[in-house]
Amino acid sequence: MDVSLTVWVLTVVGLSALIAVDFFIGRKPHEVSIKEAGIWTVVWIVLAVLFCVGLYVAEGGEPAGEFAAGYITEKSLSVDNLFVFVLIMAKFAVPTIYQQRVLMVGVLIALVMRAIFIAAGAALISAFSWVFFIFGAFLIWTAWKLVREARAEGQGHEDEAYEENRLLKMVERRFPSTPDYRGTKLLVVENGRRLITPMLVVMLAIGSTDLLFALDSIPAIFGLTDDPYIVFTANAFALMGLRQLYFLIGGLLKRLVHLSYGLSIILGFIGVKLVLHAFHEAGVHVPEISTPVSLGVICAVLVVTTATSLRASRKQAERESQAPRG
């Protein structure tokens, strides 16, 4: 898709305006109700659908289909990321009224990081077609790793806890911090000393986690489209509703017990698609997977995964309620 500089500028300005609106809505610390989260989640989804319709009218079915597949995939990966966000919030005991500010900053960090990754990925792909082999192999390996982690968690081999990375440990070791939160402040001065607050630490935790998430999501969407414009907009729309989605389905996350299996199938499927595309680019005659097939597979896997997850959770709840107490 040939996108002019003017369209790029207008898109970035438009998305920045939406982000500003989102930030304005959440600038005052407060507990987000289910109603508020639900309304804004619907608003962001409707905006993504309207953008997809606009692509269809302006460019045709292929770009619109690629955007839809990319958006759904990125949204699904974002939901899985919410599990880690829940663990981070619990680890650092973030007060409920400040959680939306943490998530908002986390989304901004994610957008910047993904924009950098998208630019780098697009440059590599345009210069070296064999990069598709690397992306494909990485996604297949990631899919296998997700299956192993899901099986380990299902067998109770892993505790559900967030482990701080080296960056956070270094920051906490070298910089003195306040024992508690000071509103939404990141730095404070007390008795002539500059101190960091737990708010800064938790934002670093979210930001460094976003970096790891981008390593999976960017190759995944490049497996569905190699158009940087579609890759960027699909990521942006998927991330902008993440904050509201966190509060809307926070209680539902624990019931999506098969989500990791579903995502592993999707990532593995896209990995195979990338490898086939790489062979095709190298002149080898192999079948290629079309965008409609990709979109159908992704949607089908998510529907089945959600249905089986809710069914398994319901049966587990019934067994626990029938178990003898005492």
Side-chain angles (χ1 to χ4, degrees), residues 18-192:
L18 292 175
I19 294 172
V21 170
D22 194 25
F23 186 82
F24 178 80
I25 294 168
R27 77 185 192 284
K28 183 178 180 181
H30 68 283
E31 293 190 23
V32 179
S33 66
I34 296 296
K35 180 180 178 181
E36 178 185 342
I39 290 173
W40 282 104
T41 297
V42 171
V43 168
W44 291 119
I45 292 175
V46 168
L47 288 173
V49 171
L50 291 176
F51 184 84
C52 186
V53 172
L55 274 179
Y56 179 82
V57 172
E59 300 292 338
E62 185 71 17
E66 291 177 352
F67 173 83
Y71 172 76
I72 293 172
T73 299
E74 293 300 315
K75 201 72 171 177
S76 304
L77 291 170
S78 296
V79 170
D80 190 48
N81 298 348
L82 292 180
F83 282 105
V84 181
F85 288 173
V86 169
L87 298 179
I88 291 175
M89 296 292 188
K91 168 71 176 180
F92 294 99
V94 182
T96 305
I97 61 173
Y98 301 140
Q99 289 184 6
Q100 63 169 337
R101 177 63 63 85
V102 172
L103 290 169
M104 186 66 220
V105 173
V107 168
L108 291 174
I109 294 173
L111 279 172
V112 173
M113 287 184 174
R114 294 191 188 205
I116 295 172
F117 274 59
I118 290 167
L124 285 172
I125 288 171
S126 63
F128 311 105
S129 60
W130 50 262
V131 170
F132 284 115
F133 283 112
I134 297 177
F135 280 4
F138 177 74
L139 288 180
I140 293 172
W141 175 78
T142 302
W144 171 242
K145 187 178 70 169
L146 272 177
V147 171
R148 291 183 60 187
E149 291 175 354
R151 290 180 62 185
E153 290 174 3
Q155 296 170 2
H157 291 169
E158 292 187 8
D159 295 329
E160 201 170 326
Y162 171 75
E163 183 177 349
E164 297 180 15
N165 55 43
R166 292 182 179 179
L167 171 64
L168 289 181
K169 291 179 179 178
M170 184 273 291
V171 170
E172 292 176 326
R173 187 168 57 249
R174 295 192 177 185
F175 299 93
S177 65
T178 60
D180 51 9
Y181 288 85
R182 304 299 167 87
T184 58
K185 294 180 179 179
L186 305 181
L187 298 168
V188 295
V189 177
E190 293 183 354
N191 299 323

